[in-house]
Amino acid sequence: MKLEVNGLTVSFSIPGATVRAVTDASFSVRQGECLALVGESGCGKSVLAHALLGLLPGNARVSGQAMLSPELSPELDLLSASPAVLASRVRGREIGLIPQSPATHLTPVRTARAQLEEALEELGSTSSATELAERFGLAPRDLDRYPHELSGGMAQRVANAIALAGDPGLLIADEPTSGLDRPLVERTMAVLRELCEEGRAVLVITHDLRAAAQVADHLAVMYASRLVEVGPAAELLDRPRHPYAAGLLAAQPDREFVAIQGMPPELTALPEGCAFAPRCAHATGACAARPPMSAGVSCHHPLREAAHAQGA
């Protein structure tokens, strides 16, 4: 399984304005690997995920290419595929989705077991609800509870089980740790890592860099609809090149714990140049022009090059 995204752009037409939610995003996710897409809330991460599955509202305009290459099925461009193809072939079967705030996505008047069994039946799986639930640490009695009787961690595990009901080759986890305490965050990330080790491709969308570090092989940092840095997780976490990526890391409790000053721009009023420039201590006049993505970073003044020049 492989997903290759090139130039993905999403905008929404609203009265009097256009929301530019995703701008020219390019990345890949391969079998046995995890890519974590990180950034502040509202930067476009979840919109990107929903675009891949055709789950955007009618006022969305989508362009670019997202080629899905399963092992046993023909290659497919997710962005040009019809709703019927996405519903019958892709969702749940080739791509599983763990939604943000899973408790709110579960039907409140049906037990967890009924919803998991329905997913298994619809997707033609031979697994039992109990077997799949136990894999994610749920006891059989937990499945007989209604969503309001589940803790946040239990609801997360039910969502994980439903996402795996069709044995998809690619899993998209949209903020899978939102609202969970740290032990449950670590458990959730460990499960996603296990799925990678089994040969699945995993795309994790999160604002939690600590969680991303636990599971990701590669990181993609998003700011104001645009990817600003993409690279191997260990390298990016150790020596980020984009000032925004460095700021995200510095804001972590286990590092400097210093917040990035200022606010991101509105997605209805994105600048033509570098969107991070008003918050960046390294900005110059060159930043009035949008920097191209070069060697994995979109910045006129990458930090490693700046450090090297000063040392010289």
Side-chain angles (χ1 to χ4, degrees):
M1 174 66 75
K2 178 182 177 183
L3 174 65
E4 189 82 29
V5 176
N6 290 294
L8 173 56
T9 297
V10 181
S11 63
F12 299 96
S13 297
I14 60 174
T18 297
V19 179
R20 291 187 283 171
V22 181
T23 304
D24 197 25
S26 298
F27 60 88
S28 63
V29 191
R30 292 175 171 79
Q31 179 178 337
E33 293 183 349
C34 174
L35 171 71
L37 179 60
V38 301
E40 292 170 288
S41 297
C43 69
K45 304 187 301 296
S46 293
V47 171
L48 186 154
H50 290 169
L52 297 176
L53 290 167
L55 297 175
L56 297 176
N59 65 333
R61 297 293 178 266
V62 182
S63 62
Q65 191 176 63
M67 301 305 300
L68 184 69
S69 304
E71 290 185 337
L72 302 177
S73 303
E75 191 174 57
L76 176 69
D77 182 4
L78 298 173
L79 304 185
S80 63
S82 69
V85 168
L86 291 172
S88 63
R89 172 183 161 182
V90 176
R91 296 183 200 130
R93 293 173 171 84
E94 292 180 346
I95 302 178
L97 174 65
I98 298 176
Q100 188 173 358
S101 302
T104 63
H105 284 75
L106 296 173
T107 303
V109 296
R110 302 181 66 207
T111 65
R113 182 185 300 279
Q115 296 180 65
L116 181 52
E117 288 178 343
E118 180 182 41
L120 289 166
E121 181 179 357
E122 177 67 24
L123 297 171
S125 175
T126 59
S127 298
S128 74
T130 299
E131 290 172 344
L132 194 55
E134 286 179 344
R135 175 177 184 182
F136 292 100
L138 287 166
R141 64 180 179 277
D142 297 329
L143 290 179
D144 297 318
R145 298 182 180 184
Y146 290 89
H148 72 275
E149 298 175 313
L150 300 172
S151 67
M154 286 181 178
Q156 181 67 62
R157 294 171 196 175
V158 172
N160 292 349
I162 291 174
L164 267 292
D167 195 27
L170 170 64
L171 185 68
I172 298 177
D174 187 6
E175 295 285 3
T177 63
S178 180
L180 302 183
D181 59 27
R182 185 49 56 179
L184 283 174
V185 168
E186 294 179 354
R187 172 58 185 160
T188 299
M189 291 297 102
V191 169
L192 293 177
R193 188 66 243 175
E194 290 170 7
L195 295 174
C196 289
E197 300 300 333
E198 292 175 3
R200 288 182 174 82
V202 176
L203 172 61
V204 176
I205 295 168
T206 183
H207 63 275
D208 187 340
L209 269 172
R210 183 175 169 187
Q214 185 179 341
V215 68
D217 299 289
H218 296 85
L219 290 177
V221 181
M222 194 171 196
Y223 182 76
S225 89
R226 300 167 180 167
L227 295 184
V228 296
E229 186 168 0
V230 181
E235 183 177 325
L236 198 155
L237 291 167
D238 182 52
R239 297 184 67 190
R241 301 178 66 199
H242 196 283
Y244 174 65
L248 280 182
L249 287 166
Q252 298 304 299
D254 58 342
R255 299 206 181 191
E256 288 92 338
F257 205 25
V258 177
I260 302 173
Q261 298 300 307
M263 297 292 292
E266 297 290 337
L267 297 183
T268 54
L270 291 178
E272 292 305 314
C274 175
F276 188 63
R279 306 172 73 184
C280 181
H282 304 274
T284 66
C287 303
R290 181 181 173 189
M293 180 68 76
S294 177
V297 63
S298 176
C299 183
H300 289 296
H301 310 291
L303 296 182
R304 290 187 199 170
E305 281 79 353
H308 179 75
Q310 291 171 4

